[in-house]
Amino acid sequence: MVNELMQDDWSAAKILRQQNEFKVKLLHAQSVVAACKAGLADLERSLERRAISSPIDERQRNSG
């Protein structure tokens, strides 16, 4: 896309349009990153719950 900018004429309207396209792409990328972080946090909480409940389950099996 940078090559397109260099080859094409540098009209203000075209530059603004491409700037807006980059902003939209950036916002989309930021939302994907936020969703990944939220998913990772959920996974970490799930793993922590398993780690906490696992010793309890093991003790119950050993006592039975």
Side-chain angles (χ1 to χ4, degrees):
M1 194 168 295
V2 173
N3 288 337
E4 289 175 11
L5 280 174
M6 293 174 72
Q7 291 172 0
D8 294 339
D9 63 294
W10 284 82
S11 70
K14 187 168 195 164
I15 292 171
L16 287 174
R17 181 177 51 81
Q18 290 189 336
Q19 183 182 18
N20 288 335
E21 289 174 7
F22 285 136
K23 286 179 182 177
V24 169
K25 288 179 181 183
L26 177 61
L27 289 172
H28 176 71
Q30 288 172 333
S31 69
V32 169
V33 168
C36 289
K37 285 182 177 181
L40 181 59
D42 289 344
L43 180 59
E44 287 175 342
R45 284 190 294 274
S46 175
L47 290 173
E48 286 174 2
R49 283 193 300 269
R50 281 188 185 175
I52 291 169
S53 66
S54 182
I56 294 170
D57 293 342
E58 204 171 299
R59 277 184 261 155
Q60 287 174 347
R61 277 182 271 168
N62 290 340
S63 66

